[in-house]
Amino acid sequence: MTRSMEKIVALCKRRGFIFQNSEIYGGQNGFWDYGPLGTELKRNVRDAWYHDMISAHNELIKPDGAPSNYQMVGVETALIMHPQVWKCSGHYDLFHDMMVDCRETKARHRLDQVRIRKVSFEGESVEQEDGSRLDSVYVSTMSDEDFEAELTSEALRAFGKKKKYADRLQWDGDATTLDRIPESDFNIVVGPGATKAGTLTSPREFNLMMKTVIGALGTDDDAAFLRPETAQGIFVNFKNVVDSCRVKLPFGICQVGKSFRNEITPRNFTFRSREFEQMEIEFFCRPDQSAGWYTYWRDRRYEWYQKLGISADRLILRDHHAEELAHYSVGTADIEYAFPFLDDGEFGELEGVAHRGDFDLRSHMEGKLARDAAGELAVEQNEHGQPRHRGSGKDLSYFDDQARERFIPHVIEPSAGADRATLAFLCEAYEEDEQPDDKGNMQSRTVMKFHPRLAPIKAAVFPLIKKEGMPEKAAEIFGELKAAGLSCQYEQQGAIGKRYRRQDEIGTPYCITVDGDTASDGTVTLRDRDSTEQIRVKVADVVQEISERLNS
Ligand code: GAP
């Protein structure tokens, strides 16, 4: 089965799932618009998350393997917050990527996204920026998919050779990324798309927060940031929720909403965008129970994707190495998916589950924390021995009235991306197969095998022909499905086989056809998307039959 990103992106545009933002003006890089079907799909992803994590969560039932019962509540906080929030959270000082500019192509690249490999070609050389020539250079590509092949074609381009000479390239070492070689070697790198070596600048830090201005004056004092994560809206409201909602530890506060990051090189469709939506849980618990809760959430979130149809072969749970951990994190695991834009065996992050300790609440209380010489988290000080970034000074501790103890809760954070999850569900659903047409001839079809909970359209209703009362009966069934709250489509144009194919391509699990027998025996054909099996169902039972199948 050929599941390529190119085909998935084309289908998304063709069928109205996802469009390039501002396309008629040439597009705005890193921003995407969801079309009618994409909107339904993403809403279903979000709703499934909110339903499974919050509204359907029953705190009276002890969850399997969990240390105790717990409550889950939601908040919806503003996109813009007090600038001090980002100073204490660490985003102001630490939320940056390393980037380089290319003097030749004028492009800007994230260091860890430039794939490079050292190469030479017997007797040939590549020009350096200063006019001198080099026998051996690093060639580069920004591609994730088939990057080895891309590097080969870049090497041939650099040495001015045709494809047939590929086996005369002499590779020195394996492919790596630009952040893994010393800066002194940058002078022998041919940057992505460049023709000469040594045109990349020294690496620089680039803060990923998007700046905006509040109010009419527009001075530096009015600068603010669009939130780069929804999590901080939860931390700064921790006390409000405890005081107003009578929640008791352990409990989770959840939020779904937009976040913004000035990604240097947004790419791979919606995977890395500048505006995206997150679905985050901050789970507050006693420090002595936090290790158990961390494992609980990590495993639960991993299972959630599988329950919604992601195959275990394409999903991994990867514990971070110590050097990968964020400044606040005591332990983190990523849930990763084998996106088709990656090479075989490579996975991309879908969700991070982090043990954040008491970093966030303490920072917002006392001032930004950092690790001291002994490796302990302590309030970071400036040259005058004062907090580098002042906290709120508010008491964000929790009083456990059963244990008669006051402490700062620890936090486990399962942080998912709604757009990334939607992309993974799109990629997972894509299949091509062969099915017999009306005359029994095998025809290839593209079918989006979404989990029924996620499918944007749950059922399509067709009159077989546009007469003999069939359109009227079909419209009646359509109305009943709609009244039951099911998103559905009505289609009467084209051969029935073509109508099935069109619905398969958008992942509609069930098609209902009103035909010649409907008037006499009161039944319709119900066709299943995946098996293409057709059964007869009574018109009076069709809504219930579909609802039951969707919920099974
Ligand atoms: N509060 C923790 C946090 O924000 P993160 O790993 O930076 O952690 C969490 O982001 C999730 O948000 C990621 O696993 C991913 O699903 C999504 N995400 C992050 N950056 C994104 C981007 N530029 N485009 C799309 N989704 C993104």
Side-chain angles (χ1 to χ4, degrees), residues 277-313:
E277 199 160 348
Q278 290 185 307
M279 308 185 291
E280 298 201 281
I281 300 172
E282 304 303 328
F283 191 80
F284 300 91
C285 58
R286 288 182 60 89
D288 55 2
Q289 292 183 348
S290 60
W293 281 115
Y294 169 65
T295 314
Y296 169 78
W297 277 110
R298 196 193 58 180
D299 298 347
R300 181 166 173 202
R301 292 298 307 146
Y302 181 57
E303 280 163 21
W304 185 79
Y305 291 98
Q306 293 178 53
K307 283 189 184 145
L308 286 172
I310 303 274
S311 100
D313 300 345

Side-chain angles (χ1 to χ4, degrees), residues 30 91 95 110 228-232 235 259-263 266-267 269-282 305 320 328 332 334-335 349-354 356 413-421:
H91 286 85
F95 194 54
R110 217 174 100 172
E229 61 172 24
T230 61
Q232 297 305 321
F235 293 123
S259 293
F260 298 81
R261 295 183 189 175
N262 235 337
E263 297 286 354
R267 63 200 189 135
F269 203 22
T270 58
F271 181 82
R272 192 172 301 288
S273 313
R274 289 179 166 142
E275 175 182 336
F276 56 95
E277 199 160 348
Q278 290 185 307
M279 308 185 291
E280 298 201 281
I281 300 172
E282 304 303 328
Y305 291 98
H320 278 208
Y328 52 75
T332 297
D334 280 347
I335 299 167
E349 180 186 330
L350 255 187
E351 170 163 351
V353 182
R356 295 176 76 120
E413 179 195 64
S415 173
D419 303 272
R420 255 187 219 180

Side-chain angles (χ1 to χ4, degrees), residues 348-364:
E349 180 186 330
L350 255 187
E351 170 163 351
V353 182
H355 185 313
R356 295 176 76 120
D358 62 2
F359 176 87
D360 303 272
L361 291 178
R362 252 182 85 195
S363 290
H364 287 306

Side-chain angles (χ1 to χ4, degrees), residues 188 218 394 439 452:
I188 62 163
K394 300 283 186 295
K439 297 189 184 86

Side-chain angles (χ1 to χ4, degrees), residues 77-79 86 225-230 255-260:
T77 72
L79 295 183
W86 307 114
F225 299 100
L226 298 184
R227 67 180 178 197
E229 61 172 24
T230 61
Q255 160 146 252
V256 181
K258 293 274 186 159
S259 293
F260 298 81

Side-chain angles (χ1 to χ4, degrees), residues 191-245:
T195 56
K196 294 178 188 163
T199 61
L200 296 178
T201 61
S202 294
R204 279 187 294 146
E205 287 178 357
F206 177 80
N207 194 295
L208 298 178
M209 281 200 293
M210 259 194 210
K211 239 181 181 172
T212 186
V213 172
I214 300 174
L217 292 179
T219 67
D220 272 356
D221 293 341
D222 304 318
F225 299 100
L226 298 184
R227 67 180 178 197
E229 61 172 24
T230 61
Q232 297 305 321
I234 298 178
F235 293 123
V236 300
N237 280 294
F238 168 74
K239 201 76 184 155
N240 282 336
V241 174
V242 170
D243 292 347
S244 61
C245 298

